[in-house]
Amino acid sequence: MIDVIWQPEFQQATFRCLVDAYSRPGQINVLPVSNSHSAIAVLATLVDGESSLSDPHQLLDNSDWLRLQIKSAAPEQAAFIVCEGSRAVDFEPNLGTLASPEHGATLVLTLDALSGGDSHYQLTGPGIQHAIQIAPQGLNKSWFTRRRHWNSAFPLGVDLLLTSAEGILALPRTTLIKEID
Amino acid sequence: MSNGINFAFLDEYAKREIRRSVIKAICIPGYQVPYSSREMPMGRGFGTGGLQLTLALIGADDTLKVIDQGSDDSVNAVNLRKFIEMTCPGIDTTTRLQEATLIQSRHRIPEQPLRADQILVLQVPYPDALVIVEPSEDKRKIMHGEADYSRLLVKLYEDIVKFDEITISHRYPTRINGHYIIDPSPIPRYDVPRLNHSEALILFGAGREKKIYAVPPHCLAEPLAFDDVPFRIEDFTDSHGERRACKLCGSKTSFLDEFIDEQGARVYQCSDSDYCEQQQELAHG
Amino acid sequence: MGYVAIKGGGRAIDGAADALELLRTRQGESARPLDTDTIEKQLYFLHSRILSEGGLYHPQLASLAIKQSLGDTLEASFALRAYRSTKPRLLETPVHDTSNMRLIRRISASFKDIPGGQMLGPTTDYALRLLRMDLLNESPEQFQAIAKTLLAGLPQQSGADSFPKVLDSLRAEGLLPQVNQAAREQPFDITREPLIFPVPRSAALATMARGETGSLLAIAYSNMRGYGDVHPTVAELRVGYLPVMLPHPISGELTEVGEVLMTECEVVAMYQGDDNKSVPTFTLGYGACFGHNEVKAISMAILDRALQKGMQDGAENPSEDPEFVLLHVDGIDSMGFASHYKMPHYVTFQSDMDRLRTTQQKQEAGHE
């Protein structure tokens, strides 16, 4: 049986979750029910042969690639990069240009859980009315360190999406992240 | 489906492209994300950009409101709503703002406050506020990236020198999150403050010019102004210094349409017909 | 499921649709509805124009679009274009070599004789534009007999119907630059990517290929008259059917899936030195579109040359400015926007009046 994530109705509902997640950084959004990991569901919703995708940690299997109708790209060039969040950053994503900042990559990270982690972070920025806290579980710290560097010259930068079995949490390039001791 | 038309008209590749653009638009507030913009079966300029956004967003469980110039019953609003109803079986439509999950509008932001679970889609004829000072898009893109708006500010300043007043009536240049300046579509100045820290996401679609941009919720949106010449909304006070009221519901706070009645007298009426009707219902219990 | 009750606006739209349908059908008892075949054959050039400006090669639906839009070229192309939006892209053709065209017409203005010969074919170029009053009362029998008689007088088709390009001989002689291999990269797809300037030549060609004929002609004409200096010679203009090859969905092998009627024009312009670095050669302009549309193909070829010059040396004239040309030649965009001014604008007008009144009051106060 083909999973629902490849159906237009699922992708429409998932897209609305993504819109809400990016509109309200730090908020955990639960995706519609499927048999796939949220990261794959998100890719099914946003990616096709007219975009580009990199999978440096080999999280996708052959049938995923076939259904996405897309060929693998290097992480330095890809519009979407899917990674294991527990591993350290080992590439430099596309940050876009001053004239075309939308070419800055979307990084989809898989995590054990979106909350309950040991490190706490405070978020402020567009979409956040009052500063909120997040504590993603199993996130390698290099992601936020490198992110600060990547996003240091707005409008250039990358947009993160943390994913786990429970749902998604978005961190657009405008969100300020501060670690709380 | 009859006629072999897809749910929400567009093919899934077109929707995915719009969806990718919408996400980037939210991530880079006020930046005009270029997209390929498919031809819609209504004229460029009749809201095809807003329509493509609505079609990429809408699902069978949505309740849609379509307004044009504040009215749900204007011909263009009716036309768009009919098309969306025809191509999106299962959706609900409404005129009441409170019932809507998705609102597509031309030239107005509704009078009543939007909620976090609503999305407002505005139709845009001219997406770029810099076009009045720079015709080349190539150059405008660099100016936007560098947040170089000096020529726009000079233009406003020249206005003040000449007329002692900023003469921009609608499409008032508005700075988003301290960087990009947007053309907020031809909403009156009265509506501009409602872009600031809105509860709802506001998306802008320019179909002919092939651009999508966004003002996320709780985001700073400041109309351009100078310290000594403040931004001013439309003035509805009469010669006695009284705020004019809507002749139907009596509201003294709403944006008013002005027209000449059969007797030749100037009369005023709420531009937002849904708000006006709700005010009348409240008054009559 | 709830629907908004239809009020004045909805009734007005329904009424307008009825009025338009009456306009289409009001001929009365002698009326015969147009069939799509008749449109394709007897309104051949109109049909060609819609195929080209609609940007979709579907002869039958192009006829339908003409029928339902009562012959309005902008509306008909528009309907075809909108239909295109509902269709996914399943396969892409490779780059096609147009020397494989099955020609119905082929001329060169640059040489008296060309390999394969000139072939005048169907054209009004040398026709006297006198009204043919005899067509006013053409009977179906007379009409049907004409083609029969004409075809009977023709010799059996013999020899080749595809010919080498005139340009090949110029190129062999070194009078034209060699084909730029870099230009053979993946062409820019205007239906999938917005134009962000500067754009490659392939984006300009694709935009013009479905551009509005009158718009292309007007801007090209400005160049011909002196707002520019292309001074073209038509090296070759050809009209014919190009076999379309697609990769087989399973084997991947290229397979002919049909043919498209198209017009192609190559103009040669005066030579251009490359800053003394290389040998001067003629320069080229290229135009091609679906259907039989000669004026469009020639206009496009001239604009292609003008735009290449503008891209290289900077635009000195409107016809050399890629943004100016490419953003203003699409009929669907321009007619839509011109029409939208018919929609109500009372909110913005209210806002305009407010500004004008305030400014007037301030000026009056200043004069007192």
Side-chain angles (χ1 to χ4, degrees), chain A residues 8 11-12 15-16 18-20 22-24 43-51 69 79-80 98-102 104-106 125-129 154-155 158-159 172-174, chain B residues 12-13 16 19-20 22-24 26-29 31 33-34 38 56-62 101-102 116-119 141-142 145-146 177 179-180 199-201 216-219:
Chain A
Q11 293 176 7
Q12 182 274 332
F15 172 60
R16 290 292 282 275
L18 279 161
V19 167
D20 202 41
Y22 275 106
S23 299
R24 297 162 216 284
L43 293 178
T45 301
L46 294 179
V47 176
D48 57 35
E50 288 166 20
S51 179
Q69 302 172 16
F80 290 84
L98 268 187
S100 299
E102 79 277 20
T106 303
I128 304 165
Q129 188 173 16
F154 185 83
V158 297
D159 306 301
R173 66 191 72 180
T174 48
Chain B
E12 295 301 314
Y13 296 85
R16 248 180 248 118
R19 288 169 182 169
R20 289 193 291 268
V22 166
I23 298 294
K24 286 299 169 195
I26 299 169
C27 289
I28 316 168
Y31 170 70
V33 182
R38 305 296 205 265
L57 285 159
I58 202 165
D61 51 357
D62 271 307
T101 53
L102 202 53
D117 62 339
Q118 296 175 316
I119 297 176
K141 281 181 80 70
I142 303 288
E146 293 172 344
N177 196 35
H179 187 102
Y180 288 102
E199 282 290 331
L201 167 67
H218 301 295
C219 182

Side-chain angles (χ1 to χ4, degrees), chain B residues 6 9 11 13 17 34-36 38-46 69 73 75-76 78-79 81-82 85 90-95 106-108 125-126 135-138 141 162-170 186 188-189 208 210 232 234-236 255-258 266 271 277, chain C residues 1-10 12-14 78 81-90 190-198 210 323 327 330 332-355 357-359 361-363:
Chain B
N6 315 308
F9 188 73
D11 76 76
Y13 296 85
E17 193 213 355
Y35 77 114
S36 63
R38 305 296 205 265
E39 278 81 8
M40 292 283 103
M42 49 275 288
R44 294 287 206 200
F46 286 68
Q69 311 271 306
D73 191 38
V75 280
N76 195 48
V78 173
N79 204 33
R81 189 167 52 237
K82 271 171 82 174
E85 281 171 348
I91 63 153
D92 281 342
T93 56
T94 183
T95 58
R106 171 171 173 262
H107 294 194
R108 280 307 312 274
Y126 307 94
S136 161
E137 185 172 351
D138 192 11
K141 281 181 80 70
K162 205 162 161 192
F163 300 110
D164 193 23
E165 184 75 30
I166 297 173
T167 58
I168 300 175
S169 55
H170 52 276
R189 300 189 306 289
R208 189 179 45 84
K210 305 178 169 58
R232 264 197 279 263
E234 288 78 359
D235 182 11
F236 287 107
F255 186 85
L256 299 171
D257 286 338
E258 169 183 333
R266 227 200 268 171
S271 135
E277 275 164 29
Chain C
M1 178 153 58
Y3 283 113
V4 173
I6 291 180
K7 290 191 281 186
I13 290 176
D14 290 343
F78 191 173
R81 213 59 99 73
Y83 173 77
R84 202 180 191 285
S85 298
T86 65
K87 298 294 161 205
R89 145 132 357 136
L90 300 177
I190 57 161
T191 70
R192 291 296 179 274
E193 281 177 77
L195 295 180
I196 300 169
F197 291 91
R210 57 177 206 176
E323 277 200 46
L327 293 182
D330 191 78
I332 314 304
D333 286 355
S334 57
M335 75 82 93
F337 210 52
S339 300
H340 113 282
Y341 287 111
K342 294 182 278 189
M343 278 203 291
H345 278 81
Y346 39 76
V347 169
T348 49
F349 194 66
Q350 183 69 48
S351 198
D352 286 342
M353 285 197 294
D354 167 84
R355 286 293 77 186
R357 281 173 183 151
T358 307
T359 317
Q361 280 162 11
K362 282 209 167 182
Q363 295 227 328

